[in-house]
Amino acid sequence: MRLSLLFMVCCTVMAQCAVAAAKARHFRWEVSNMFWSPDCEEKVLIGINGQFPGPTIRAKAGDTIVVELKNGLHTEGVVIHWHGIRQIGTPWADGTASISQCAINPEETFTYRFVVDKPGTYFYHGHYGMQRAAGLYGSLIVDVADGEEEPFKYDGELNLLLSDWYHESIYTQMVGLSSNPFRWIGEPQSLLINGRGQFNCSLAAAHTAGAKQCAAGGGNRQCAPVVLPVLPNKTYRLRVASTTSLASLNLAVGNHKLTVVEADGNHVEPFDVDDIDIYSGQSYSVLLKADQKAASYWISVGVRARLPKTVPALAILSYGGNAAAPLQLPAGEPPVTPAWNDTQRSKDFTYRIKARKDTNQPPPPAADRQIVLLNTQNLMDGHYKWSINNVSLSLPATPYLGAIHHGLQDSAFDASGEPPDGFPEDYDVMRPPANNATTASDRVFRLRHGSVVDVVLQNANMLKEEVSETHPWHLHGHDFWVLGYGDGRYDAAKHAAALNTADPPLRNTAVIFPHGWTVLRFVANNTGAWAFHCHIEPHLHMGMGVVFIEGEDKMHELDVPKEAMACGLVARTAAVPLTPATPLPPSPAPAP
């Protein structure tokens, strides 16, 4: 009895200490258009407080982030999604226009307030239209809480935020994507490292035939080479995140091995590589030991999974520990990006990622529901669309969260049923669709709160013969277990037994390889309206996503700020009864 009482007292004291240690970190931001030269060519982009990329947020697990965001854009709304933050209990702060909140109008201010509940490497970005591709993004780093330690050791830390950059505006791209005939803007003009790149020249011109040498030693500071200073014989945690609009990337550091230790804010069983593939929406931590001769070395970032028409980005790892020292270009050649279409090499890297043994959180042994999502390219009235089970996502004027919270779902969107959760047995994923016509819908998947859901992401052929693209899919509001990958069409009778339920990695963004499948599992225990979509910006713009509604019968209990829902039917309804939604029927028992 006395031991039990002592244990309870200790737990109470520890909990109080944890609460006392957590802090509220306040930021006041204004989003605005501004002139900038990310790759030494001046263009208009979207920045925050006159900065590009936006300010880095640094916090500790358990802290509350408070961002007072003013929209300084003159003619359009804005929202910010905090990528990888699960928003437990604060679904309206997820920052998805028409899903979790209304867009913030010009000259208006909205305050995001949420808890960063676990450490990891994250970032934030615009989630309205294609504003991410216009430069609205920045890093979000969450350290372990006071008194906690990471399960790996390092002496210092470096941060790389990777992106791609177009010289044409996002409006030109959006009009082209929506036009009949379709007009594709093409590949990005440059790749950026921490918002900096070089267009139409090379830092390594001496090693590139016909290349023009960049003015690396001076000129425009906005596109000056990124230099990462290190000290000999020290180990560094290199945080890497990709917020690209289109490009899949590969990163390598000349003459240095990398040890992968974190993926999307979750620990993984460490393994050594020469380079890493990173898809849009993903993040990693790798350990780099400065164990080479004291000199400068190239950091190279190149395009994967698409025929490269954008030259690699280069940064410099500089021994000596002084980023302000005169720039010394490395003497050797930069690492060469693997062949863009060497898909097997990408699979070999991805398949090695497993949960760390001493922090492993195994998934539930079985699912209550399976949803199969076929990724296809289709046509609608002559317009190109990306579709899921032959349905292209179309978002409503009233955010789903607000509509359900206020009992307006029957009027705000098509609540008469769900989207298809599968596709025909005779569909050939290796050929263009026999029926290439699609429809648009704003229907949603309604998930019982607490249910275990398996999602099979099935990739297929595009409209052109023997062409299938790589797609990174991101789930808002959750991490999920990646149970397995495969080629061809997923067949539960053949493939389910081989899925990894022992040590699958927890992630928030997973890749589907061309003509392949990926199986994910998550617990629908976060009440809210959550986007699940391809993280390639043009693909989402063309309808490649779905929406999950979780705990619909609990949404009326949420304390949703009225400022988050002051649009659409909610704004036009004078007196809104807060009536609970109709409960979902119980899910069937898991199969034995």
Side-chain angles (χ1 to χ4, degrees), residues 189 203 260 290 449 564:
Q189 275 61 62
L203 292 173
V260 182
H449 189 269

Side-chain angles (χ1 to χ4, degrees), residues 179-182 379-384:
S179 293
N180 182 10
F182 179 80
L379 292 171
M380 189 172 71
D381 300 326
H383 298 266
Y384 278 86

Side-chain angles (χ1 to χ4, degrees), residues 13 20 49 52 67 92 108 155 193 219 249 274 287 295 299 338 348 399 404 432 434 447 459-460 472 552 567-568 591:
V13 171
N49 293 352
F52 170 76
V67 178
W92 55 85
E108 291 186 349
D155 303 301
I193 300 174
L249 301 175
D274 294 321
L287 300 183
I299 299 171
D348 291 343
I404 298 173
L447 307 180
N459 211 344
E552 185 172 353
C567 64

Side-chain angles (χ1 to χ4, degrees), residues 18 21-27 29 56-67 81-90 93-94 112-124 139-146 148 239 265 479:
K23 296 180 179 179
R25 300 181 184 268
H26 294 261
F27 304 88
W29 290 355
T56 295
I57 289 180
R58 188 122 203 175
K60 294 184 178 180
D63 286 351
T64 298
I65 303 298
V66 183
V67 178
H81 169 56
W82 315 94
H83 189 106
I85 305 303
R86 296 179 292 181
Q87 301 294 347
I88 298 171
T90 53
D94 189 48
Y112 289 98
R113 184 186 298 269
F114 56 90
V115 174
V116 287
D117 63 300
K118 65 187 185 71
T121 304
Y122 308 106
F123 58 99
Y124 60 86
S139 293
L140 198 170
I141 306 299
V142 183
D143 295 307
V144 294
D146 289 337
E148 302 291 330
R239 295 183 184 265
D479 286 339

Side-chain angles (χ1 to χ4, degrees), residues 71-84:
N71 180 6
L73 303 177
H74 298 297
T75 59
E76 61 188 298
V78 71
V79 295
I80 289 186
H81 169 56
W82 315 94
H83 189 106

Side-chain angles (χ1 to χ4, degrees), residues 264-275:
D264 295 353
N266 296 286
H267 299 136
V268 300
E269 188 63 19
F271 63 98
D272 294 337
V273 291
D274 294 321
D275 52 73

Side-chain angles (χ1 to χ4, degrees), residues 211-289:
K212 172 186 173 184
Q213 180 66 47
C214 296
N220 193 336
R221 293 181 59 191
Q222 294 175 358
C223 58
V226 172
V227 179
L228 302 184
V230 295
L231 294 173
N233 301 314
K234 300 293 185 181
T235 298
Y236 291 86
R237 179 181 188 168
L238 184 59
R239 295 183 184 265
V240 188
S242 174
T243 184
T244 53
S245 168
L246 177 71
S248 302
L249 301 175
N250 178 272
L251 178 142
V253 181
N255 290 39
H256 289 75
K257 287 281 188 180
L258 305 173
T259 303
V260 182
V261 293
E262 177 216 341
D264 295 353
N266 296 286
H267 299 136
V268 300
E269 188 63 19
F271 63 98
D272 294 337
V273 291
D274 294 321
D275 52 73
I276 63 170
D277 280 347
I278 182 167
Y279 301 93
S280 179
Q282 293 185 332
S283 63
Y284 290 98
S285 283
V286 297
L287 300 183
L288 178 151
K289 188 170 183 180

Side-chain angles (χ1 to χ4, degrees), residues 23 67 84 125 191 195 199 205 209 257 261 283 314 357 401 409 415 455 477 479 513 541 555 560:
K23 296 180 179 179
V67 178
H125 60 81
L191 302 178
F199 173 68
K257 287 281 188 180
V261 293
S283 63
L314 296 175
K357 291 183 175 62
L401 181 64
Q409 57 267 47
V455 176
D479 286 339
F513 291 108
H541 182 77
M555 282 195 190
V560 181

